[in-house]
Amino acid sequence: MPEWEGQDEAWAVKVSTILLCDQVVRLGGIHLASKATGIPVSTVSDAVSRLETALSVKLFVQGAKGLILTAEGGRLSPYLAQATHEIFAIHGACGDDHANDIYQRSVSLIALFRFVDILESGSIRKSALRLQIGQPQLTRMMVMLEENLGVQLFERTRSGSRASPEGLRVSPHVHKLRDIWAALDSTSALRFKRHLRHWSFGGIPPATTDSPTAIILARIAANWARRFDTPLLMQPGLADSLLEGLEQQRYDAVLVDMPVNNSRLRSREVLRSHLSCFLQHEAPELTDAGSSSQMREAILKHPLVLPSRASGLRQTAESFLEHLLGPTWLSKVQLIEIDSIPVAVQLIVGHGYCSILPSGVGITSPKVTKIPLPMTFSVPLLLAWRADDRGTDMAQRVLQLLDMTN
């Protein structure tokens, strides 16, 4: 059986799906691709979802001004362009001069690849044996392929079937398309093989060595090694990239510090982390009554360092700053973004910055005051996983290790 036969839904993708996704990449948006092709927006959107699912890759993320290619999407986009070129060449060889008609065709990759396998095997009967499928099923698939392409690919003779002149013209382009698609799908194949070797877990970097996040991650790692034979690979990252990696199946589960608003993912709160405002001051004592006014004065007077919006900590800090300074708080402060708590601590201690950080961050300098934020501005720590069998299995394992299965 050929390597491509018997694979997952990546090989059952229709060529129209590839063409529509390539238009989205080229034009930079689903609505623009819909306008250019005359295909409904919902159909184009479904095509993107189908391709992402088939390849187990997130091609786009939603940005402020529309869709943005992910790093993986950027890496795969040249393959999409090459595949599109060969698909148009296949239809062109069949005499199809109406490009938009191609988007309506129901031609699947698997049918095209089985067509060239028949040519390589020498007959439909031999190909059916090689592919381990029924000869009538393969014959029906070829009849449908000819109908969809609008040409006769085979000449039927008493001794069997052989390629027609049209079939001979089409076959080189199908061969190239098969090679291109194999390269495109290698990301999914490698990911699948990796899953057979180990489980992958992502987590936000702990604020300190004795922070709740550090304790939880260490507990998971130590208990996993005692309970399960399959190795566990742990990787750090910011919440945004961890959730993206979870969808792309780079992780089986992740520990993040922001809400999970995705119907394909599930989550459960593990704990909450309290936050404090860290700032320099000269007054020897601080009363609760004066804490808000002192925070407001310090944040308006001194530079503010916060992590990027890819972290849940930043999102909670923004909610507090809006509460403290109003909805236009960003225009009132001098902000620097750094995704490193040790660097933020150095900026506070040595350069007079202020910041909002987990309360457990230990700053021993007598010049620095820590003012706890109201409990309503705490950060949730969530275990998140995909709503599939593997993701659910991983979540159950982790919750067992944390004694949170009830």
Side-chain angles (χ1 to χ4, degrees):
M1 180 183 292
E3 182 179 351
W4 52 268
E5 187 70 30
Q7 296 293 328
D8 59 17
E9 65 263 39
W11 300 86
V13 165
K14 290 182 172 56
V15 297
S16 58
T17 296
I18 300 171
L19 298 177
L20 289 172
C21 288
D22 181 63
Q23 284 292 315
V24 175
V25 171
R26 290 173 184 271
L27 300 176
I30 289 174
H31 286 271
L32 292 172
S34 172
K35 184 177 180 180
T37 60
I39 302 299
V41 171
S42 59
T43 302
V44 179
S45 179
D46 288 344
V48 172
S49 297
R50 283 195 300 271
L51 189 62
E52 289 180 330
T53 299
L55 295 178
S56 301
V57 166
K58 190 72 174 174
L59 298 173
F60 305 94
V61 292
Q62 187 65 44
K65 296 183 179 180
L67 290 180
I68 301 173
L69 267 178
T70 63
E72 192 70 2
R75 188 184 75 80
L76 296 181
S77 59
Y79 293 105
L80 280 179
Q82 294 168 24
T84 294
H85 175 79
E86 297 304 329
I87 290 167
F88 274 105
I90 290 167
H91 285 78
C94 295
D96 185 0
D97 297 325
H98 304 287
N100 281 0
D101 289 347
I102 300 177
Y103 299 110
Q104 308 286 354
R105 300 290 178 89
S106 183
V107 178
S108 67
L109 293 178
I110 200 76
L112 288 170
F113 299 161
R114 285 177 175 174
F115 158 65
V116 293
D117 190 84
I118 291 171
L119 299 187
E120 292 168 350
S121 301
S123 71
I124 290 180
R125 183 184 63 81
K126 291 179 181 178
S127 179
L129 290 173
R130 170 179 153 97
L131 299 176
Q132 299 179 21
I133 61 175
Q135 183 175 339
Q137 175 188 349
L138 185 56
T139 300
R140 286 193 300 271
M141 179 177 283
M142 292 303 101
V143 170
M144 291 181 61
L145 179 62
E146 289 178 323
E147 290 176 354
N148 282 316
L149 291 177
V151 296
Q152 183 178 337
L153 298 174
F154 298 96
E155 292 179 345
R156 277 74 178 178
T157 67
R158 290 183 178 180
S159 59
S161 299
R162 64 185 182 190
S164 68
E166 290 82 4
L168 291 174
R169 285 196 292 269
V170 167
S171 61
H173 300 295
V174 179
H175 276 286
K176 291 179 182 178
L177 179 61
R178 187 172 64 180
D179 292 341
I180 293 166
W181 194 250
L184 248 178
D185 190 43
S186 64
T187 298
S188 179
L190 288 173
R191 185 175 295 115
F192 175 75
K193 291 175 184 177
R194 187 196 65 214
H195 278 175
L196 296 180
R197 294 196 302 268
H198 65 256
W199 296 82
S200 182
F201 189 81
I204 58 171
T208 64
T209 56
D210 58 352
S211 68
T213 305
I215 294 171
I216 287 175
L217 292 173
R219 186 175 176 184
I220 292 171
N223 289 338
W224 186 284
R226 287 193 289 264
R227 292 278 299 276
F228 307 115
D229 294 331
T230 309
L232 177 67
L233 174 63
M234 274 193 170
Q235 295 177 306
L238 297 178
D240 242 10
S241 62
L242 290 173
L243 291 173
E244 179 184 326
L246 186 61
E247 279 206 280
Q248 295 178 6
Q249 300 185 30
R250 293 201 304 270
Y251 307 110
D252 297 305
V254 295
L255 198 64
V256 294
D257 58 354
M258 66 167 57
V260 178
N261 301 312
N262 187 320
S263 61
R264 294 185 293 274
L265 304 180
R266 301 289 182 266
S267 66
R268 178 168 174 178
E269 185 172 315
V270 177
L271 58 81
R272 282 190 169 265
S273 177
H274 301 159
L275 300 182
S276 293
C277 180
F278 291 82
L279 52 92
Q280 287 195 13
H281 77 108
E282 297 179 357
E285 294 183 358
L286 180 68
T287 64
D288 290 341
S291 61
S292 293
S293 61
Q294 186 167 0
M295 280 191 286
R296 184 182 298 108
E297 179 182 346
I299 292 171
L300 292 175
K301 181 179 179 181
H302 299 287
L304 175 68
V305 56
L306 292 174
S308 70
R309 285 178 171 164
S311 73
L313 171 58
R314 168 64 177 270
Q315 295 183 14
T316 305
E318 286 194 356
S319 297
F320 172 73
L321 291 168
E322 184 173 341
H323 168 77
L324 185 70
L325 303 176
T328 60
W329 69 270
L330 190 57
S331 63
K332 301 176 183 178
V333 301
Q334 180 184 343
L335 176 65
I336 180 173
E337 294 185 353
I338 294 181
D339 287 315
S340 169
I341 289 181
V343 175
V345 169
Q346 288 300 317
L347 288 171
I348 296 167
V349 175
H351 302 275
Y353 278 66
C354 53
S355 185
I356 295 173
L357 299 172
S359 298
V361 173
I363 301 180
T364 57
S365 171
K367 299 184 297 182
V368 177
T369 292
K370 178 175 73 173
I371 306 175
L373 270 57
M375 292 294 294
T376 51
F377 297 105
S378 58
V379 176
L381 194 62
L382 303 171
L383 175 68
W385 63 93
R386 288 184 310 281
D388 56 24
D389 290 343
R390 185 178 176 88
T392 302
D393 188 4
M394 178 64 167
Q396 290 174 346
R397 290 172 182 239
V398 173
L399 291 172
Q400 286 174 7
L401 299 180
L402 298 175
D403 295 326
M404 294 181 64
T405 52
N406 295 330

